[in-house]
Amino acid sequence: MAIDGRIYGYDGLDLADFFPSTKPHNHKNFTTLGLLFNYLCGFLIFGVLYLLSYDIHWYYYKLDRKRMNMFVYSVRFVRLIHAALATMVSIPIMLITSDFLKERFVILDMFVAFSGGYWTFDLLGRYNEHLQVYEPPGRYISKGIFKRYVKRFWLTIFHHLFLITYIYPKVLFARNDEGDFLVACILFTEFSVPFTELQWMMESTLEPHNLRYIYISMIAIATTLVSRVLIIPFLYEAVSEHMNMSMLDLVTTIAPWWHILSLSYLAYNIYQLGRNIVKVVIYLRIPYERKKKPKPGPAPTVTTTAGGKRKRLIKCDKEERVIDNDNYKED
C-alpha cells in the first residue's frame, strides 16, 4: 500500500520533500483564523476564475445562438480546476503515506479549508446560472426565483451544504489528527472530473466525432473506473493491511452501515460509468448512420396536375418523369 516516498527512476527526488508530514505529537492544528483565511482565498480565487472563464466564453462564443450556455460552461470550468487541484494534492499523499492513521500532512488541512471556499462559491455560481438561463431578464432575487432555484438544484445544494457544514468541520476539527490517508482517498475521487467535464464541453460546443473526443472519452472512462470504482476495493485492502487481518475477517468485523454506504457508492458509480460508455458508443455511431444510403427504387407517388388529371411522378437517380396515370403500367 505505502511507498517509501521515492519516485522510481529518480534517486535524488523525494515526494516527501514537497509534502512534509508531521507526527501527531509534533503537529499543531491550524488556528481558526488561518483556516478562515484559506476558506476566503478559495472563495475569491474560484470567483475570479469564474469571471475570467465567462469572459473567455463570451469572446469565443458571442455569435453562438446558445450563448446562454456560457454560464454553464463557466461553472463546469471552475469545477474542472478544483478537481485537478484535489487530484494533485491527494495522489502524492496516497503514495508516500507510511502510517495508515497516524501520519499527518499539513497541506491536506490547508486544501480542505481552501476547497470549502469553492463549494460555497459554487452555490452562487449555480444561482447565477439559474438566473441567466432559466429566468426572464431583469429580475435577480425574489422568493419565487429562490424557490425555483432550490427545486432545480436541490441535490447540488444538499451536497454542498452537507460538505460545508458537516463533513469539512469533522475533517478539520473532530478526527483526532488521524486518517489523512482516508481523506486523500476521498479527494482522489475527483480524478475523473476534469476529463468528464472536457467530454461534456466537447459534446456541447464542438463536433464530437473526432479523435480528440475519442481520446478524452477513453481517458474519462478509465479514470472513472480507477478513481470511483476500484477505489472501494483499494480502501478495503488498505484497511485490512493496516489491521493485519484477512479480507474476510475485515468484512465480518466492520459495521454493516459501512458496507451499505460502500456498496451504494460503488453501484451508483458503476451505473454512471455504464451510462458514459453507452453515450460514447451512440455518439460514435451517428456518423455511421448518416453514411447509410437509402434503398434504391423509391415508390412512385400520385400527384395532380393543373387540369385535374392524375399523374404519377417517378423520381429516378438522374431524372424525373411524369407519366399519364391512365396509361401507366408497371413492368
Side-chain angles (χ1 to χ4, degrees):
M1 178 192 69
I3 299 178
D4 60 357
R6 300 246 171 230
I7 301 179
Y8 295 106
Y10 298 90
D11 295 334
L13 184 60
D14 195 341
L15 281 176
D17 295 336
F18 299 95
F19 288 79
S21 63
T22 55
K23 298 301 179 182
H25 60 275
N26 293 326
H27 179 71
K28 294 181 180 180
N29 285 327
F30 285 99
T31 62
T32 304
L33 184 61
L35 293 174
L36 180 61
F37 175 78
N38 282 275
Y39 173 84
L40 292 177
C41 285
F43 183 84
L44 294 175
I45 289 174
F46 285 110
V48 171
L49 288 175
Y50 175 83
L51 296 177
L52 290 176
S53 174
Y54 171 77
D55 291 338
I56 292 172
H57 285 114
W58 173 259
Y59 178 78
Y60 284 104
Y61 300 110
K62 57 186 177 182
L63 299 179
D64 190 355
R65 290 177 296 177
K66 299 180 179 180
R67 69 178 185 85
M68 283 302 179
N69 283 339
M70 290 185 303
F71 300 98
V72 185
Y73 301 152
S74 298
V75 169
R76 289 179 175 266
F77 175 77
V78 175
R79 187 187 177 200
L80 183 153
I81 298 298
H82 171 264
L85 293 175
T87 305
M88 293 170 61
V89 171
S90 62
I91 290 180
I93 294 177
M94 294 172 62
L95 290 177
I96 67 178
T97 299
S98 58
D99 193 327
F100 181 80
L101 288 179
K102 300 299 182 181
E103 193 163 5
R104 296 282 282 126
F105 296 88
V106 177
I107 193 174
L108 192 63
D109 289 345
M110 295 173 60
F111 182 79
V112 168
F114 183 78
S115 178
Y118 161 75
W119 296 115
T120 305
F121 166 77
D122 194 60
L123 290 174
L124 299 179
R126 295 302 178 101
Y127 184 77
N128 185 49
E129 173 190 338
H130 175 77
L131 286 178
Q132 302 296 338
V133 178
Y134 303 105
E135 295 291 339
R139 300 182 64 188
Y140 297 99
I141 186 168
S142 68
K143 188 176 180 180
I145 291 177
F146 185 75
K147 284 184 177 180
R148 288 188 291 272
Y149 163 67
V150 173
K151 184 178 180 181
R152 182 174 297 276
F153 295 104
W154 68 270
L155 187 58
T156 300
I157 295 172
F158 172 78
H159 172 267
H160 290 15
L161 291 179
F162 182 69
L163 284 177
I164 297 169
T165 60
Y166 182 77
I167 297 297
Y168 280 10
K170 284 279 189 181
V171 170
L172 292 172
F173 302 110
R175 57 189 177 97
N176 298 322
D177 288 341
E178 293 181 347
D180 276 25
F181 178 80
L182 296 176
V183 177
C185 290
I186 295 174
L187 292 178
F188 179 69
T189 58
E190 295 287 301
F191 183 33
S192 62
V193 172
F195 305 103
T196 55
E197 296 299 339
L198 286 175
Q199 184 186 17
W200 182 90
M201 291 179 182
M202 294 187 71
E203 293 170 356
S204 303
T205 61
L206 304 174
E207 180 68 22
H209 313 118
N210 52 46
L211 288 178
R212 286 180 299 174
Y213 176 77
I214 296 175
Y215 293 153
I216 293 296
S217 299
M218 294 299 103
I219 296 174
I221 291 171
T223 52
T224 302
L225 177 65
V226 172
S227 63
R228 294 180 176 257
V229 176
L230 299 181
I231 190 66
I232 299 299
F234 173 75
L235 279 175
Y236 272 85
E237 189 274 335
V239 174
S240 66
E241 181 180 343
H242 173 74
M243 300 181 67
N244 293 322
M245 61 174 57
S246 64
M247 188 68 70
L248 181 60
D249 295 335
L250 177 67
V251 171
T252 57
T253 302
I254 296 180
W257 63 266
W258 173 266
H259 299 308
I260 294 174
L261 290 177
S262 300
L263 291 176
S264 300
Y265 180 82
L266 188 63
Y268 173 77
N269 285 286
I270 291 176
Y271 168 72
Q272 293 294 336
L273 179 63
R275 284 188 59 186
N276 195 8
I277 294 174
V278 171
K279 178 179 65 176
V280 172
V281 172
I282 291 175
Y283 270 102
L284 294 178
R285 282 186 59 87
I286 289 177
Y288 174 76
E289 297 293 339
R290 289 177 179 173
K291 292 180 181 179
K292 285 186 175 180
K293 295 182 179 180
K295 294 181 179 180
T301 57
V302 177
T303 60
T304 304
T305 61
K309 191 173 181 180
R310 297 179 67 195
K311 300 290 182 180
R312 187 179 296 268
L313 177 64
I314 299 179
K315 292 184 177 181
C316 302
D317 294 337
K318 297 183 180 180
E319 62 179 351
E320 295 183 357
R321 295 182 292 130
V322 179
I323 301 176
D324 190 336
N325 186 64
D326 299 330
N327 300 324
Y328 176 75
K329 293 182 181 180
E330 296 182 357
D331 295 336

